[in-house]
Amino acid sequence: MLHGLPTDRDVSPFVPPSRVSLARETRPVSPMLFPDGHEGWFITGYEAVRQALADTRFSNRQDLGIIHVPFPTPGMPEQTEPSPQTPGLFISMDPPDHTRLRRKLTGAFTVKRMKALEEGIVEITERQLDALAELTPPVDLVKEFALPVPSLVICEILGVPYADRDTFQTNSSKFMEREVNLEDKMAAYMAMNTYLAELVVSKRAEPVDDLLSDLARDEDLSIEELCGMAFLLLLAGHETTANMLSLGTFALLEHPDQLAALRSDPAMIPDAVEELLRYLAVADIFFRYAAEDIEFFGETIPKGSSVILSLLAGNHDPERYEHADTLDVHRNARGHLSFGHGVHQCLGQQLARIEMRAGFEGLLRRFPSLELAVPAREVKLRTDMNIYGVHALPVTWS
């Protein structure tokens, strides 16, 4: 049985913790002891994770039962009853509630709609690269490039004033920290919710040409639901892509042969983005709840069990990908789990792909001598956050 979930990627900053890899090799669906003493389940094999993501018996709802998490929040009282549903937060819902809300957004995130936005995303990226080039190195690539690009993009799409970015970035970061006490975490959430409530009320009163205005025109959605949807879109829209851009750059700088291959043939970048998504899996774990007794890969998962899915371990399963712990930009990494699978598969995945393609292509083209400004071991990893990455990436160029 696995005792607690290891979070440090101890073999390297990029591959699964050794204990997680061992669990996948020996028992891909295995019992796990949570810090509060509750016994749950840990799923690590590629096929098992993929099937669990698509199996509606593994519920996302938090109001069905107590979901025990492997990262207890300081000051969090012991749960004795299920958490109530948060209006609009459809990521924590099952069909049909999930279907009703997600359907409101599918038109905004189609491949065709995203392609139409691509030119503007490239322009935003190039402007940020211009600003980066004006700085004197060393600079923090997270602060000066990886975070501003997706923040600018999602603000423009949603209709959130970019001038307010410090407020929502500070609060979203606080909300995502694992070891922040409950009082501070809730204060960050309430601050974001208050801000978004004022924003969506103004959009409903005077809609303009942006996604939040489109949603606000829909009288079927309450203000509380609009706030929950806006919170989810804003948080997901900048956190994951920012960490992929920064951690992906770190990985390429640590694999100079792969970096050289991309510099010599930029047409490989779309496939390289898929490989980086597979290799890094910044959203590395998902939570589920067994809504009934489930026979799964030779194991019986009792109703009420908390279940952890390791997308990182699944992406590094050697039964799915040869030499899976190796970064290979020539690899066909399609089918990776980093955007999830099933009804909860990431709504904004095409947007994220466009941003990453533009970001990596522009960065490699504009800064051919880019390198780390500190030894790799000094790069501070986000092992304390729910989205993996780096807190800062000091880089330099000649």
Side-chain angles (χ1 to χ4, degrees):
M1 178 181 293
L2 193 71
H3 288 253
L5 182 62
T7 56
D8 290 347
R9 305 190 186 192
D10 50 12
V11 177
S12 89
F14 314 115
V15 304
S18 53
R19 287 171 60 208
V20 171
S21 296
L22 181 62
R24 184 190 59 223
E25 293 164 10
T26 56
R27 195 175 177 183
V29 179
S30 59
M32 172 181 168
L33 192 66
F34 287 79
D36 63 0
H38 171 79
E39 187 175 314
W41 292 84
F42 186 46
I43 302 179
T44 51
Y46 175 87
E47 282 300 330
V49 172
R50 191 171 189 272
Q51 289 189 36
L53 288 167
D55 192 329
T56 54
R57 296 175 300 173
F58 292 103
S59 173
N60 272 35
R61 287 176 58 180
Q62 296 179 10
D63 61 334
L64 284 180
I66 299 169
I67 295 182
H68 298 256
V69 298
F71 318 112
T73 299
M76 175 76 79
E78 183 179 348
Q79 274 191 284
T80 57
E81 58 184 43
S83 301
Q85 286 281 75
T86 302
L89 208 66
F90 57 89
I91 196 172
S92 62
M93 297 177 183
D94 294 337
D97 296 328
H98 168 268
T99 308
R100 180 180 75 87
L101 294 177
R102 181 170 169 127
R103 192 173 286 155
K104 307 285 187 184
L105 292 163
T106 49
F109 287 94
T110 60
V111 175
K112 183 178 179 181
R113 180 79 178 269
M114 290 301 103
K115 289 293 289 183
L117 294 172
E118 186 166 3
E119 184 177 339
I121 292 169
V122 170
E123 288 179 3
I124 286 172
T125 305
E126 290 298 320
R127 287 200 303 269
Q128 203 60 39
L129 288 166
D130 289 341
L132 183 63
E134 292 295 317
L135 301 175
T136 301
V139 301
D140 174 13
L141 197 73
V142 175
K143 179 183 177 183
E144 304 297 344
F145 180 72
L147 187 55
V149 167
S151 295
L152 280 161
V153 170
I154 199 64
C155 282
E156 188 164 309
I157 291 173
L158 292 181
V160 175
Y162 185 63
D164 297 340
R165 67 192 181 280
D166 286 344
T167 299
F168 73 73
Q169 284 173 358
T170 298
N171 286 315
S172 65
S173 179
K174 187 71 68 178
F175 182 75
M176 296 295 284
E177 285 184 48
R178 288 175 177 159
E179 296 184 1
V180 169
N181 66 56
L182 180 62
E183 184 178 350
D184 289 345
K185 191 179 286 278
M186 290 309 299
Y189 173 75
M190 292 306 297
M192 279 192 74
N193 201 58
T194 299
Y195 168 75
L196 290 170
E198 293 173 356
L199 188 63
V200 297
V201 166
S202 70
K203 300 285 186 185
R204 178 156 278 180
E206 297 182 29
V208 289
D209 185 20
D210 57 52
L211 180 53
L212 286 186
S213 291
D214 291 346
L215 291 171
R217 288 187 181 96
D218 190 336
E219 295 295 334
D220 182 45
L221 294 171
S222 67
I223 293 298
E224 291 76 17
E225 287 178 323
L226 286 169
C227 288
M229 295 171 79
F231 173 82
L232 182 58
L233 293 169
L234 189 59
L235 188 69
H238 78 275
E239 276 282 349
T240 49
T241 306
N243 283 288
M244 273 302 305
L245 285 170
S246 52
L247 190 66
T249 302
F250 184 24
L252 289 172
L253 293 175
E254 284 296 281
H255 295 81
D257 58 328
Q258 304 298 300
L259 183 59
L262 293 183
R263 290 197 195 282
S264 65
D265 186 5
M268 293 171 56
I269 285 178
D271 284 339
V273 164
E274 300 304 318
E275 170 64 354
L276 286 165
L277 283 161
R278 178 201 73 83
Y279 184 63
L280 300 174
V282 296
D284 48 1
I285 63 167
F286 282 6
F287 303 95
R288 293 292 188 268
Y289 174 85
E292 59 185 78
D293 291 344
I294 304 172
E295 296 295 328
F296 194 74
F297 282 74
E299 306 285 353
T300 300
I301 299 178
K303 179 180 179 179
S305 296
S306 296
V307 182
I308 305 296
L309 313 180
S310 176
L311 276 61
L312 177 67
N315 278 347
H316 283 251
D317 190 339
E319 292 191 11
R320 176 63 175 83
Y321 297 104
E322 189 176 3
H323 306 299
D325 285 345
T326 300
L327 177 65
D328 181 2
V329 296
H330 300 88
R331 185 196 306 274
N332 179 357
R334 303 287 172 173
H336 63 76
L337 303 169
S338 294
F339 288 123
H341 182 59
V343 297
H344 286 284
Q345 191 170 40
C346 178
L347 189 63
Q349 59 181 289
Q350 299 306 332
L351 175 62
R353 285 185 169 104
I354 291 169
E355 291 178 73
M356 283 185 276
R357 290 169 188 168
F360 288 124
E361 189 280 327
L363 199 61
L364 300 190
R365 170 172 44 84
R366 297 282 296 271
F367 299 90
S369 60
L370 191 73
E371 61 182 359
L372 289 178
V374 298
R377 65 181 180 276
E378 294 182 13
V379 175
K380 189 181 179 187
L381 299 164
R382 286 169 50 112
T383 57
D384 57 336
M385 308 290 283
N386 288 326
I387 302 292
Y388 188 71
V390 294
H391 283 288
L393 190 69
V395 295
T396 188
W397 58 89
S398 55

Coordinates of all heavy atoms in Angstrom, one line a residue, residues 209-248:
D209 N -18.2 42.9 -26.6 CA -17.8 41.8 -27.4 C -16.7 40.9 -26.7 O -15.5 41.1 -27.0 CB -17.3 42.3 -28.8 CG -17.0 41.2 -29.8 OD1 -17.5 40.0 -29.5 OD2 -16.2 41.4 -30.7
D210 N -17.1 40.1 -25.8 CA -16.2 39.2 -25.1 C -17.0 38.0 -24.6 O -18.2 38.0 -24.6 CB -15.4 39.9 -24.0 CG -16.3 40.5 -23.0 OD1 -17.2 39.8 -22.4 OD2 -16.1 41.7 -22.7
L211 N -16.3 37.0 -24.2 CA -16.9 35.7 -23.8 C -17.8 35.9 -22.5 O -18.9 35.3 -22.4 CB -15.8 34.6 -23.5 CG -16.3 33.3 -23.1 CD1 -17.4 32.7 -24.1 CD2 -15.2 32.3 -23.0
L212 N -17.3 36.6 -21.5 CA -18.1 36.8 -20.3 C -19.4 37.5 -20.6 O -20.5 37.2 -20.0 CB -17.3 37.5 -19.2 CG -16.2 36.7 -18.5 CD1 -15.6 37.5 -17.4 CD2 -16.8 35.4 -18.0
S213 N -19.4 38.5 -21.6 CA -20.6 39.2 -22.0 C -21.6 38.2 -22.7 O -22.8 38.2 -22.4 CB -20.3 40.3 -22.9 OG -19.6 41.4 -22.2
D214 N -21.0 37.3 -23.5 CA -21.8 36.3 -24.2 C -22.5 35.5 -23.1 O -23.7 35.1 -23.3 CB -21.0 35.5 -25.1 CG -20.5 36.2 -26.3 OD1 -21.0 37.3 -26.6 OD2 -19.6 35.7 -27.0
L215 N -21.8 35.0 -22.1 CA -22.4 34.2 -21.1 C -23.4 35.0 -20.3 O -24.5 34.5 -19.9 CB -21.3 33.6 -20.1 CG -20.4 32.6 -20.7 CD1 -19.2 32.3 -19.8 CD2 -21.1 31.3 -21.1
A216 N -23.1 36.3 -20.0 CA -24.0 37.1 -19.2 C -25.3 37.4 -19.8 O -26.3 37.6 -19.2 CB -23.3 38.4 -18.8
R217 N -25.3 37.3 -21.2 CA -26.6 37.5 -21.9 C -27.5 36.4 -21.7 O -28.7 36.5 -22.0 CB -26.3 37.7 -23.4 CG -25.6 39.0 -23.8 CD -25.5 39.1 -25.3 NE -24.9 40.3 -25.7 CZ -23.6 40.4 -26.0 NH1 -22.8 39.4 -26.0 NH2 -23.1 41.6 -26.4
D218 N -27.0 35.2 -21.3 CA -27.8 34.0 -21.1 C -28.6 34.1 -19.8 O -28.0 33.9 -18.7 CB -26.9 32.8 -21.2 CG -27.7 31.5 -21.3 OD1 -28.9 31.4 -20.9 OD2 -27.1 30.5 -21.8
E219 N -29.9 34.3 -19.9 CA -30.7 34.4 -18.6 C -30.8 33.1 -17.9 O -31.3 33.1 -16.7 CB -32.1 35.0 -19.0 CG -32.0 36.4 -19.5 CD -31.6 37.4 -18.5 OE1 -31.7 37.2 -17.3 OE2 -31.0 38.5 -18.9
D220 N -30.4 32.0 -18.5 CA -30.5 30.7 -17.9 C -29.4 30.6 -16.8 O -29.5 29.7 -16.0 CB -30.4 29.6 -19.0 CG -30.5 28.2 -18.4 OD1 -31.4 28.0 -17.6 OD2 -29.6 27.4 -18.7
L221 N -28.4 31.4 -16.9 CA -27.3 31.4 -15.9 C -27.5 32.4 -14.8 O -27.7 33.6 -15.1 CB -26.0 31.6 -16.7 CG -25.5 30.5 -17.7 CD1 -24.3 31.0 -18.5 CD2 -25.2 29.2 -17.0
S222 N -27.4 31.9 -13.6 CA -27.5 32.9 -12.5 C -26.1 33.6 -12.3 O -25.1 33.2 -12.9 CB -27.8 32.1 -11.2 OG -26.7 31.3 -10.8
I223 N -26.1 34.7 -11.5 CA -24.9 35.4 -11.3 C -23.9 34.5 -10.6 O -22.7 34.5 -10.9 CB -25.1 36.7 -10.4 CG1 -26.0 37.7 -11.2 CG2 -23.8 37.3 -9.9 CD1 -25.3 38.2 -12.4
E224 N -24.4 33.6 -9.7 CA -23.5 32.7 -9.0 C -22.8 31.7 -9.9 O -21.6 31.4 -9.8 CB -24.2 32.0 -7.9 CG -24.7 32.8 -6.7 CD -25.9 33.7 -7.0 OE1 -26.6 33.4 -8.0 OE2 -26.1 34.6 -6.3
E225 N -23.6 31.2 -10.9 CA -23.1 30.3 -11.9 C -22.1 31.0 -12.8 O -21.0 30.5 -13.1 CB -24.2 29.7 -12.7 CG -25.0 28.7 -11.9 CD -26.1 28.1 -12.7 OE1 -26.8 28.9 -13.5 OE2 -26.4 26.9 -12.6
L226 N -22.4 32.3 -13.2 CA -21.4 33.0 -14.0 C -20.1 33.2 -13.3 O -19.1 33.1 -13.9 CB -22.1 34.4 -14.4 CG -23.2 34.4 -15.4 CD1 -23.9 35.7 -15.4 CD2 -22.6 34.1 -16.8
C227 N -20.2 33.5 -12.0 CA -18.9 33.7 -11.2 C -18.1 32.4 -11.2 O -16.9 32.4 -11.3 CB -19.3 34.1 -9.8 SG -19.9 35.8 -9.6
G228 N -18.8 31.3 -10.9 CA -18.1 30.0 -10.9 C -17.4 29.7 -12.2 O -16.3 29.2 -12.3
M229 N -18.1 29.9 -13.3 CA -17.6 29.6 -14.6 C -16.4 30.6 -14.9 O -15.4 30.2 -15.5 CB -18.7 29.8 -15.7 CG -19.8 28.7 -15.5 SD -21.2 29.0 -16.6 CE -20.6 28.4 -18.2
A230 N -16.6 31.8 -14.6 CA -15.5 32.8 -14.8 C -14.3 32.5 -14.0 O -13.1 32.6 -14.5 CB -16.0 34.2 -14.5
F231 N -14.5 32.1 -12.8 CA -13.4 31.7 -11.9 C -12.6 30.5 -12.5 O -11.4 30.5 -12.6 CB -13.9 31.3 -10.5 CG -12.9 30.7 -9.6 CD1 -12.0 31.5 -8.9 CD2 -12.8 29.3 -9.4 CE1 -11.1 31.0 -8.0 CE2 -11.8 28.8 -8.6 CZ -11.0 29.6 -7.8
L232 N -13.3 29.5 -13.0 CA -12.7 28.3 -13.6 C -11.9 28.7 -14.8 O -10.8 28.3 -15.0 CB -13.8 27.3 -13.9 CG -13.3 25.9 -14.4 CD1 -12.3 25.3 -13.5 CD2 -14.5 25.0 -14.7
L233 N -12.5 29.5 -15.7 CA -11.9 29.8 -17.0 C -10.7 30.7 -16.8 O -9.6 30.5 -17.4 CB -12.9 30.6 -17.9 CG -14.1 29.7 -18.4 CD1 -15.1 30.6 -19.1 CD2 -13.6 28.7 -19.4
L234 N -10.8 31.6 -15.8 CA -9.7 32.5 -15.6 C -8.5 31.8 -15.0 O -7.3 32.0 -15.4 CB -10.1 33.7 -14.7 CG -9.1 34.8 -14.5 CD1 -8.8 35.5 -15.8 CD2 -9.7 35.9 -13.5
L235 N -8.8 30.9 -14.0 CA -7.7 30.2 -13.3 C -7.1 29.2 -14.3 O -5.8 29.2 -14.4 CB -8.4 29.4 -12.1 CG -7.4 28.7 -11.2 CD1 -6.6 29.7 -10.4 CD2 -8.2 27.8 -10.3
A236 N -7.9 28.4 -15.0 CA -7.3 27.4 -15.9 C -6.7 28.1 -17.1 O -5.7 27.5 -17.6 CB -8.4 26.4 -16.3
G237 N -7.2 29.2 -17.5 CA -6.7 29.9 -18.7 C -5.3 30.4 -18.6 O -4.7 30.7 -19.7
H238 N -4.8 30.7 -17.4 CA -3.4 31.2 -17.4 C -2.5 30.3 -16.6 O -1.3 30.2 -16.9 CB -3.4 32.6 -16.9 CG -3.6 32.8 -15.4 ND1 -4.8 32.8 -14.7 CD2 -2.6 32.9 -14.4 CE1 -4.6 33.0 -13.4 NE2 -3.3 33.0 -13.2
E239 N -3.0 29.6 -15.6 CA -2.1 28.8 -14.7 C -1.4 27.7 -15.5 O -0.1 27.6 -15.4 CB -2.8 28.3 -13.5 CG -3.0 29.2 -12.4 CD -1.7 29.3 -11.5 OE1 -0.8 28.5 -11.7 OE2 -1.7 30.2 -10.7
T240 N -2.1 26.9 -16.2 CA -1.6 25.7 -16.8 C -0.6 26.1 -17.9 O 0.5 25.5 -18.0 CB -2.7 24.8 -17.3 OG1 -3.6 25.5 -18.0 CG2 -3.4 24.1 -16.1
T241 N -1.1 27.0 -18.8 CA -0.2 27.3 -20.0 C 1.0 28.0 -19.5 O 2.1 27.8 -20.1 CB -1.0 28.2 -21.0 OG1 -2.2 27.5 -21.3 CG2 -0.2 28.4 -22.2
A242 N 0.9 28.9 -18.5 CA 2.1 29.6 -18.0 C 3.2 28.6 -17.5 O 4.4 28.7 -17.8 CB 1.7 30.6 -16.9
N243 N 2.7 27.6 -16.8 CA 3.6 26.6 -16.3 C 4.2 25.7 -17.4 O 5.3 25.2 -17.3 CB 3.0 25.8 -15.2 CG 2.9 26.6 -13.9 OD1 3.9 26.8 -13.2 ND2 1.8 27.1 -13.5
M244 N 3.4 25.4 -18.4 CA 3.9 24.6 -19.5 C 5.0 25.4 -20.3 O 6.0 24.9 -20.7 CB 2.8 24.3 -20.5 CG 2.1 23.0 -20.1 SD 3.2 21.5 -20.1 CE 4.0 21.6 -21.7
L245 N 4.8 26.7 -20.5 CA 5.8 27.5 -21.2 C 7.1 27.6 -20.4 O 8.2 27.5 -21.0 CB 5.3 28.9 -21.4 CG 4.2 29.1 -22.6 CD1 3.6 30.5 -22.5 CD2 4.8 28.8 -23.9
S246 N 7.0 27.8 -19.1 CA 8.2 27.9 -18.3 C 8.9 26.6 -18.1 O 10.1 26.4 -18.2 CB 7.9 28.6 -17.0 OG 6.9 28.0 -16.3
L247 N 8.1 25.6 -17.6 CA 8.7 24.3 -17.4 C 9.2 23.6 -18.7 O 10.2 22.9 -18.7 CB 7.7 23.3 -16.7 CG 8.3 22.0 -16.1 CD1 9.3 22.3 -15.0 CD2 7.2 21.1 -15.7
G248 N 8.5 23.9 -19.8 CA 8.9 23.4 -21.1 C 10.2 23.9 -21.5 O 11.1 23.2 -22.1

